[in-house]
Amino acid sequence: MEHNHETSMINTAANIYQIKITLIGIHPPVWRRIEVSGDTKLDALHAIVQNVMGWEDEHLHAFQVGRVVYAIPDSMSKDNNTDERHVRLDQIAHQGDSIRYEYDFGDSWVHRLEIEKAITPEPGTHYPRCTEGERACPPEDSGGPWGYTDLLTVIENPEHEDHADRLAWLGENFDPEHFDLEAVNARFYAQCVVAEIPLYDAGTLAAFTPAQLVEVLVENEDRVRRNIIDECTRRGDAMLEVLAAWS
């Protein structure tokens, strides 16, 4: 599942938080170390954790500091949670603090986010980024720490009666010891690139002339959002005339 959150390059005036993320209940531990802007909203931090750990964002989640729970409000729920979309990381935690992040309330994957230190951003560096990590993320719906531990026991024993079934469900290419740091940072960088592309609402696009739409395409080297392409298509022949004159 694709995340709906866009990760932009950080505000260079903000501190960068170095955070160690550890998945609780798994041994040897599954962990990552990331660097992220202190002014990151918690809904964006959720997307960052999903990416760096390797989850697929298929379930609900929540952050917790002390007795305060931060989550996306659910109109069907009576929980009095704080809306995570309006809270920044540096408003709830600082160096030496920890945040509890739970993903999938059924399997209950609990992560500890330790704020190890605050550092000065490096010029020209894209944030967030991952600097270290070990071991693969458990598969979605694998039963939480207990279920995943049992799964590993079964697939490591070819003589186990459930070995073939579990391996077929998991896939032969799964390696619990594998962690691809470059792939994680490539996804972060791609999100930064997307976030830099201008976003226009429907009213603004409708007011653009065909020539202005072409200018948007040229300025952004054709890296534009879907609604701009749709608007160009809607203009039909008018756009073709301007494009012909432009070339």
Side-chain angles (χ1 to χ4, degrees), residues 201-214:
D201 60 32
T204 300
L205 287 179
F208 277 179
T209 66
Q212 288 174 320
L213 287 171
V214 170

Side-chain angles (χ1 to χ4, degrees), residues 180-196:
D180 192 336
L181 178 64
E182 290 186 2
V184 168
N185 283 321
R187 290 194 295 271
F188 279 144
Y189 182 76
Q191 290 167 349
C192 286
V193 170
V194 169
E196 292 171 348

Side-chain angles (χ1 to χ4, degrees), residues 22-31 109-110 112 134-136 138 144-153 156 176-177:
T22 304
L23 186 57
I24 304 302
I26 302 294
H27 302 283
V30 177
W31 64 274
W109 296 107
V110 176
R112 181 175 61 250
E134 289 186 341
R135 307 190 78 222
W146 181 89
Y148 179 59
T149 299
D150 180 65
L151 175 64
L152 293 183
T153 300
E156 290 169 0
E177 300 303 319

Side-chain angles (χ1 to χ4, degrees), residues 134-191:
E134 289 186 341
R135 307 190 78 222
C137 180
E140 295 278 359
D141 303 316
S142 54
W146 181 89
Y148 179 59
T149 299
D150 180 65
L151 175 64
L152 293 183
T153 300
V154 172
I155 65 172
E156 290 169 0
N157 180 11
E159 304 302 318
H160 195 285
E161 60 181 356
D162 294 327
H163 177 79
D165 290 341
R166 295 288 187 91
L167 198 59
W169 177 80
L170 187 58
E172 295 183 0
N173 293 327
F174 179 76
D175 180 0
E177 300 303 319
H178 179 70
F179 170 60
D180 192 336
L181 178 64
E182 290 186 2
V184 168
N185 283 321
R187 290 194 295 271
F188 279 144
Y189 182 76
Q191 290 167 349

Side-chain angles (χ1 to χ4, degrees), residues 54-68:
W55 297 116
E56 298 178 17
D57 203 5
E58 295 180 347
H59 303 280
L60 298 175
H61 70 278
F63 295 93
Q64 184 173 352
V65 178
R67 296 184 178 182
V68 182

Side-chain angles (χ1 to χ4, degrees), residues 118-130:
I119 60 178
T120 302
E122 300 176 9
T125 298
H126 287 271
Y127 297 98
R129 68 175 178 175
C130 182

